[in-house]
Amino acid sequence: MIKAVIFDMDGVLIDSEPYYLQQRMAYFKLIGVDVDDDRLQEMVGGNMKIVLPQLLPGKTDAAYAQLRVGYRYFKSRHPQDFRQTLMADAKSTIEALRQQGYLLALASSSERPTINEMLTNTGLNGDFAVILSGADFPKSKPDPSIYLTALAQLKVRPEEAVAIEDSQMGIEAAQTAGIYTYAVAVSDPRVATDQSAADAHLANLSALLPALARWK
């Protein structure tokens, strides 16, 4: 029996992946760093902690840290309107899940201030029993640490939870933690990632409730 649903944020609750892709492209262009656009698209779903060493190998930890600080400042100067990017069926799906007694968690690669801003601006604060940021872990997705921590804090076993993801790295992280994983379809081809490893696929969040009915 499924007791808990663990959501990713970007690309699942908010349609932010196209925004982040353009933002990262603009940041690297601004600081004069040449990155391959196709390679950058492959990094969708990962935070800068994992993206930078793969895109720009060979730099020191201090250099990566400086780039992350610069990117955080760049993001603060180009904020996202979370109310506009909130998925149309996010609120109704979350409310229905709560009414049916599911425990809800948010396990996002985004930094905690970004997560908190999204929850406040969209009115979703208070809906999640557990809120985790990948930036608070030594390793980000596809490492399973964030999902293992979510399970521990929710006090459920892997077989008692499902994960809702959109990216290859997120799917791998959830499955490595032993969690059955649904992949939500990505509408923008620029940020489409390989979702073939997911246990099941959803056309949208509204399809989650009928999908969970089969577990009862």
Side-chain angles (χ1 to χ4, degrees):
M1 180 179 177
I2 298 301
K3 297 180 180 179
V5 181
I6 307 174
F7 288 90
D8 179 35
M9 184 176 81
D10 296 299
V12 174
L13 296 178
I14 54 173
D15 189 17
S16 56
E17 298 293 18
Y19 166 83
Y20 285 131
L21 177 62
Q22 291 298 325
Q23 190 180 62
R24 288 175 179 181
M25 288 178 176
Y27 172 64
F28 286 126
K29 183 177 180 179
L30 178 68
I31 64 176
V33 175
D34 185 29
V35 297
D36 182 80
D37 289 355
D38 291 338
R39 181 63 174 147
L40 189 58
Q41 291 182 42
E42 293 175 3
M43 296 289 101
V44 167
N47 64 23
M48 284 301 225
K49 190 182 295 184
I50 190 172
V51 168
L52 287 171
Q54 294 193 42
L55 287 178
L56 306 170
K59 294 185 178 295
T60 65
D61 289 344
Y64 290 133
Q66 185 175 10
L67 286 168
R68 290 197 300 272
V69 169
Y71 182 59
R72 282 196 294 270
Y73 177 76
F74 183 81
K75 285 198 301 181
S76 73
R77 304 300 295 175
H78 302 82
Q80 179 180 179
D81 187 344
F82 291 109
R83 289 169 294 186
Q84 292 295 322
T85 55
L86 181 69
M87 294 294 188
D89 50 0
K91 279 192 173 182
S92 58
T93 299
I94 289 171
E95 179 59 27
L97 290 169
R98 290 185 65 196
Q99 289 180 358
Q100 293 185 24
Y102 289 101
L103 297 169
L104 303 182
L106 184 61
S108 170
S109 293
S110 290
E111 296 184 344
R112 190 165 292 276
T114 302
I115 296 171
N116 292 341
E117 183 182 359
M118 185 281 291
L119 293 172
T120 299
N121 289 357
T122 60
L124 293 177
N125 48 335
D127 288 331
F128 297 94
V130 171
I131 301 169
L132 298 173
S133 164
D136 294 334
F137 292 82
K139 295 182 178 180
S140 187
K141 299 175 184 177
D143 186 89
S145 299
I146 192 169
Y147 275 106
L148 293 171
T149 301
L151 291 172
Q153 293 191 10
L154 289 168
K155 298 180 181 179
V156 298
R157 299 188 301 272
E159 61 270 21
E160 295 175 324
V162 297
I164 317 300
E165 278 284 355
D166 71 306
S167 69
Q168 182 177 359
M169 285 188 281
I171 292 167
E172 181 180 343
Q175 290 185 329
T176 302
I179 304 171
Y180 190 93
T181 306
Y182 290 98
V184 177
V186 177
S187 58
D188 192 326
R190 293 174 301 167
V191 296
T193 62
D194 184 2
Q195 297 182 334
S196 60
D199 296 296
H201 297 79
L202 303 171
N204 47 50
L205 286 178
S206 297
L208 176 59
L209 291 166
L212 289 177
R214 79 176 186 86
W215 295 90
K216 294 183 177 179

